[in-house]
Amino acid sequence: MLRTHTCGELTTGNLGETVTLCGWVQKSRDLGGTTFIDVRDRYGLTQLVFNTDSDATLREQSRDLGREFVIKVTGKVVERTNKNAKMATGDIEIIVSAIEVLNSAKIPPFLIEDDTDGGEELRAKYRYLDLRRNPIRNNLVMRHKLAQEVRRYLDSLDFIEVETPVLIKSTPEGARDFVVPSRMNPGEFYALPQSPQTFKQLLMVSGFDRYFQIVKCFRDEDLRADRQPEFTQIDCEMSFITQEDILNTFEGMARHLFKNVKGIELGDFPRMQYADAMRLYGSDKPDIRFGMEFVELNDVVKGKDFSVFDNAELVVGINATGAAEYTRKQLDELTEWLKRPQIGATGLIYMRHNADGTLKSSVDKFYNEDELKKWSAAFNTQPGDLVLVLAGLTDKVRKQLNELRLEMGTRLGLRDKKAYAPLWVLDFPLLEWDEETERFHAMHHPFTSPKPEDIPLLETDPKNVRANAYDMVVNGIEVGGGSIRIHDRALQSLMFKHLGFSPEEAQKQFGFLMDAFEFGAPPHGGIALGFDRLCSIFAELDSIRDVIAFPKNNSGRDVMIDSPSTIADTQLNELKIKTTV
């Protein structure tokens, strides 16, 4: 090794030792008689000293060192007179006796510091420099620890890690596939896996009753803060189990990870029906760090000649506790926020419960104080509370009120990133209707088992069939989801029928799986947890980009390596692909 120690490990226990360090120049301070240089590696910083007792040539060398030069230094560990409690090595410094420049460096395009001056696009272009900064590096160290603890926990329960193929078959369900042309089979294509779903089910048929994989998956879909075209998931499957076994196993894993990586003991892990989540929060992934549950007002407000309420399918609101001090200007701004195309509300109605106990609403023309008291009773308001109400079509208005609830939670400081509120959401609908294709699609995927008691409804009332499906949610983020799977051919064929597949289409796309079911498939189920999302929660970030070493931007591009890019005509010709402009 070129070095005897790292830049983050020396303490007063090393006083008097002669050591060799290697790293990057963080900053240099020339005070005339003395030059101080901070040298950095991924373990920390150490202060180097060149003073009047140093060799003159050595002192001149130190003055020529620029930011991000890679250096090797040898020197004696001494105690600092002005100690720095913010540094792990802040009690010592190195009196340098020899220095070697291993590589010089251009001036970096942004400061390699915790609070950098680099914008997002600039840092993405020079991601290898951004990775030198403590916040990004610490996120990746945490990601590594999280992966290690996942493996440790699952290994302790006899799960085995099995790699599944990356070049697979394209299927019509789910998001768009990334496809890969086959040179040896012109006109035919592989797909990159959106998940290893069918392979892990085949592993259950094979007798590998507890499987997991920390695996790359790919989806060609529009991007946002919590999505990337390639992402990592903790993929798991178990045989001879019930839904309860899976919930207990992976609740246990969540507790293990929070305890061993964050030092946090998770509290209760409540369970909520999908129907209740939509009714009370307007979301299948509710943030339960705070209250503001929905209150439906149809029975309270209709029939008072207020057409907005009378013509609405649903009138529903929330109680923003303690927000009655909101000014008219703030409420107008909130109304405009709701009217943005992303949310699409037509307006906002409010009622204040004033500090003196009086009630005042934006619709006093239609509702007197006695009627507003019914509103107050419905929301259980206290002096200082603000009621916010929306009206419209049920599904649409619930989504709008969910956005408003989250926004008010943020504005009122109720969404503390250091607080963790997990839950399970259970019993999702098996199918959802798609207006564009005019057919049902699987809400999760076509291998999800319906609740046994709901199977007869497939023929008569498919929209009300519940799935044996469950999602793990933390702080309003869907961390993972799974289901008990179909494990016999007859039920799987019935499912494909209700998804609009002909028997021939089902056999062509999934015949390999249905054939396997005829050779003794055990009851099985599983879950996939979004590893990037989990890492972002642990890092207390809104975006997953800074927990991924080399992420894509919102356009799906890697601006560092300029990808995707065109390829040579010779490659296209080999693949028998013709392009048009």
Side-chain angles (χ1 to χ4, degrees), residues 165-171 177-185 187-193 575:
V166 173
L167 296 174
I168 65 167
K169 182 185 184 73
S170 182
T171 59
D177 288 326
F178 282 102
V179 294
V180 180
S182 170
R183 179 184 58 81
M184 293 183 288
N185 301 278
E188 297 185 324
F189 297 82
Y190 302 103
L192 301 181
L575 296 167

